[in-house]
Amino acid sequence: MDEFLHDAGAIGVKVNLSGNLPEKEELRCVVILAMRECLTNSVRHAGAATLYITVEKKEDSISVRITNDGRPPETEIIPRGGLRNLYRHVLDLGGTMEIQSKPSFALTVVLPAIKESTE
């Protein structure tokens, strides 16, 4: 997470994080991958200066919604490259991913909560 925040600062993007990242490493890695992909795309395609990340933990899932203050997409976003790769990681963990193009960009990833082993 520290590296992500450093990278965002280095390219001039403020990160507004609400909630806590998952503690389980495999979930945390996918969430940070989603944040990194949105950081890159929000600067490249939307000219964003701020990334808004909301993490909500429920009993059986973790939801992450990422938006930005940049220009809205002109057309529907079709997952390619990094977003397609992210989608594969989300599916591997049994999660879902939704991309909203209108009226503004939003990426929502829902991952099943992975219980700590009790063995």
Side-chain angles (χ1 to χ4, degrees), residues 4-117:
F4 169 77
L5 292 173
H6 176 270
D7 292 347
I11 60 174
V13 175
K14 179 182 174 190
V15 175
N16 184 330
L17 175 63
S18 173
N20 296 312
L21 295 183
E23 293 177 21
K24 290 293 286 183
E25 185 67 24
E26 57 194 322
L27 297 177
R28 187 182 199 79
C29 285
V30 170
V31 169
I32 291 174
L33 182 64
M35 291 165 42
R36 190 168 288 285
E37 184 61 26
C38 287
L39 172 66
T40 302
N41 288 345
S42 67
V43 171
R44 180 182 302 147
H45 301 294
T50 305
L51 204 60
Y52 301 96
I53 304 163
T54 304
V55 181
E56 292 183 21
K57 293 182 184 179
K58 297 181 180 172
E59 189 173 314
D60 61 348
S61 67
I62 296 165
S63 173
V64 181
R65 182 172 172 85
I66 305 172
T67 60
N68 64 66
D69 66 350
R71 295 180 306 278
E74 294 177 10
T75 60
E76 183 178 340
I77 296 171
I78 307 297
R80 293 186 200 99
L83 284 173
R84 181 176 281 171
N85 181 49
L86 172 63
Y87 185 59
R88 286 188 195 118
H89 286 282
V90 169
L91 285 180
D92 286 347
L93 290 177
T96 61
M97 183 172 112
E98 179 184 337
I99 301 170
Q100 174 186 308
S101 301
K102 298 290 179 188
S104 60
F105 170 82
L107 174 74
T108 304
V109 173
V110 179
L111 299 169
I114 298 173
K115 304 284 188 219
E116 296 287 340
S117 175

